[in-house]
Each structure stands twice: as C-alpha cells, then as structure tokens.
C-alpha cells in the first residue's frame, strides 16, 4: 500500500545482536512511523519521523533507535536485541494532513531467541 | 491522554450481521477510521467518518458515530468468511499544528460457516 516496502519480512536472531529493519516508501510522504504489534496490545508506536533527520519517540521507544537520512527511508535499530522485542513490526506513512489515513507496509516478523 | 478501546473478539455465523464497537476519550477527534488487517498483512483502510456525521454507509459497511457518548461502531451486513480479520478503530486528533492517529487494540472477527 502507498508503495511501502519493509525489509526483511522475516528475521530470526539471537539475544544481544544488533538488528536493523528498513522501511522504504515511494509516495514522498512526510511522516513515517514504526509500530510493534503484540497480542492483546494492538499497535504501539515506537518512534516516528516528521521529516528528514526529524524524529521523535513514541510510547514504547526504550531499546530502539531510528534514523531518517532520506525522505523515502526510515530505519529502526535494535542496538542489542532482547527476547521482549520479539514482535511483528509495521511501518506506516502519511502526509500528516487531516483526513490522510496512514498507509501500512506488510510487516516484519522478528524473533529473538 | 487519548485512549481508544475495543473488545478483543467477536464471533458470528456466516450471513449474520457483525457489529464491532469502539469507544474513545478525545472529544476533539476529527476523523475516525476503521482498518482491516488480514493474516500476514498490514492494516488496510476500510472506511472513515468525519466527526460531524452520524452515519456513513458503504455497500455492506455501516459506520455509526455517537459523539455524545464517544462511541463508534462498524456494522458488516451479510458477513462472509472472507471478512474474518482483525478490525482496528482509529481516531485522528490534533489541529493545523499537526495530527496524530490513535489506534485501538483491534477486534478479531471470527466468521463461522
């Protein structure tokens, strides 16, 4: 949707390793978001960006960092992955204007063993 | 802070109507959305309603908004097995300084044949 590609789609790694997830969009949307989805919690916002090099924390930002060096790319990094970060991660984008719903990627399933 | 609540599960028989309910806390909400998530995919916008409307109908979908009670519902007529999915209620809040979307935890709809 809205030309959003997440990579990788699946990843299994070990506790303590660094992990980077990538979100690429072709719609030139200003805002980009990273969410995690866990049973019983729905979507929880990790970090978001409102422009190149402009980012802010969401409600569950501990243990995560982000970078946005280009409009089209938004990277999520787990510096030292923990088992509690096992989840499905979604990227979303929007223009940031009113009544512009967020468009979502297909998600990355991350397992930390 | 803003909060959006939904029941987690709903089970209906094929051919019956489904009604998914949502309550929210922010009375300044402008647009209210329903998203659908199918297995292994991201969220897709299903429909939306502007806060000055009471009802919106789109084919088998009817959205009802009770602003006084801060209650939003999604009715799916003649529910089919293909409607089995997770349905997210989402509320847009903010002003010209910036908008954000608050998501509920999602309602998993099971359709029994």
């Amino acid at each position: 949707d809205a030309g959003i590609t997440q990579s990788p789609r699946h990843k299994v790694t070990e506790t303590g390793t660094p992990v980077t997830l990538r979100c690429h969009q072709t719609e030139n949307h200003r805002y980009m978001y990273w969410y995690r989805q866990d049973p019983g919690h729905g979507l929880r916002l990790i970090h978001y960006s409102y422009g190149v090099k402009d980012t802010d924390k969401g409600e569950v930002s501990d243990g995560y960092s982000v970078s946005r060096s280009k409009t089209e790319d938004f990277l999520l990094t787990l510096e030292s992955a923990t088992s509690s970060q096992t989840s499905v991660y979604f990227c979303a984008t929007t223009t940031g204007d009113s009544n512009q719903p967020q468009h979502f990627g297909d998600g990355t399933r991350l397992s930390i063993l | 802070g803003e909060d959006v609540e939904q029941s987690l599960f709903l089970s209906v028989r094929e051919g019956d109507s489904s009604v998914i309910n949502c309550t929210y806390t922010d009375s300044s909400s402008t647009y209210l959305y329903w998203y659908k998530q199918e297995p292994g995919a991201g969220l897709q916008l299903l429909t939306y309603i502007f806060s000055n409307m009471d009802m919106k109908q789109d084919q088998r979908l009817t959205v009802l908004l009770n602003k006084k009670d801060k209650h939003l519902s999604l009715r799916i007529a003649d529910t089919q097995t293909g409607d089995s999915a997770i349905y997210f209620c989402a509320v847009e809040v903010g002003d010209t300084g910036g908008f954000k979307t608050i998501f509920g935890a999602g309602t998993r709809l099971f359709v029994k044949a």
Side-chain angles (χ1 to χ4, degrees):
Chain A
D1 197 355
I4 300 172
T5 305
Q6 290 185 234
S7 58
R9 291 294 316 279
H10 303 272
K11 187 172 181 69
V12 180
T13 191
E14 294 183 345
T15 300
T17 60
V19 178
T20 295
L21 308 184
R22 179 179 183 241
C23 177
H24 178 79
Q25 58 132 340
T26 58
E27 294 298 307
N28 201 36
H29 285 171
R30 180 182 170 201
Y31 281 74
M32 298 185 76
Y33 306 83
W34 277 108
Y35 293 92
R36 59 178 290 174
Q37 183 179 25
D38 303 289
H41 291 278
L43 289 177
R44 290 184 290 176
L45 182 65
I46 305 171
H47 280 281
Y48 68 99
S49 168
Y50 46 98
V52 173
K53 292 187 169 49
D54 292 323
T55 65
D56 206 349
K57 296 179 180 180
E59 61 182 298
V60 291
S61 59
D62 288 348
Y64 301 94
S65 63
V66 291
S67 67
R68 189 157 177 214
S69 58
K70 298 185 289 186
T71 299
E72 55 266 35
D73 289 326
F74 193 32
L75 303 181
L76 177 71
T77 297
L78 292 66
E79 301 290 348
S80 178
T82 68
S83 58
S84 65
Q85 293 175 311
T86 292
S87 187
V88 181
Y89 291 85
F90 286 97
C91 174
T93 75
T94 184
T95 62
D97 299 321
S98 180
N99 195 28
Q100 295 301 314
Q102 293 183 20
H103 299 266
F104 285 80
D106 285 334
T108 294
R109 186 173 294 274
L110 179 62
S111 297
I112 315 293
L113 304 179
Chain B
E2 307 93 350
D3 195 21
V4 177
E5 294 195 354
Q6 307 176 234
S7 55
L8 293 183
F9 300 100
L10 176 66
S11 180
V12 300
R13 291 192 179 279
E14 192 175 21
D16 289 349
S17 291
S18 308
V19 179
I20 302 171
N21 295 300
C22 169
T23 58
Y24 59 97
T25 56
D26 195 314
S27 58
S28 67
S29 305
T30 51
Y31 287 90
L32 302 99
Y33 305 97
W34 284 103
Y35 286 82
K36 178 183 181 182
Q37 182 186 30
E38 298 190 359
L43 281 66
Q44 297 278 338
L45 181 68
L46 201 55
T47 187
Y48 70 93
I49 189 167
F50 186 47
S51 57
N52 68 352
M53 298 169 65
D54 298 322
M55 185 181 83
K56 180 179 181 180
Q57 189 148 4
D58 183 2
Q59 300 183 345
R60 292 190 298 123
L61 306 177
T62 302
V63 178
L64 295 178
L65 174 61
N66 182 327
K67 262 195 107 172
K68 175 175 168 289
D69 294 338
K70 301 190 189 75
H71 183 267
L72 182 73
S73 67
L74 173 69
R75 178 177 179 269
I76 305 174
D78 187 24
T79 311
Q80 302 298 306
T81 54
D83 294 324
S84 292
I86 302 175
Y87 291 82
F88 288 89
C89 170
V91 173
E92 179 186 284
V93 298
D95 53 32
T96 51
F99 297 94
K100 64 177 178 177
T101 304
I102 312 298
F103 288 87
T107 299
R108 186 178 292 271
L109 175 64
F110 296 94
V111 182
K112 296 176 286 188

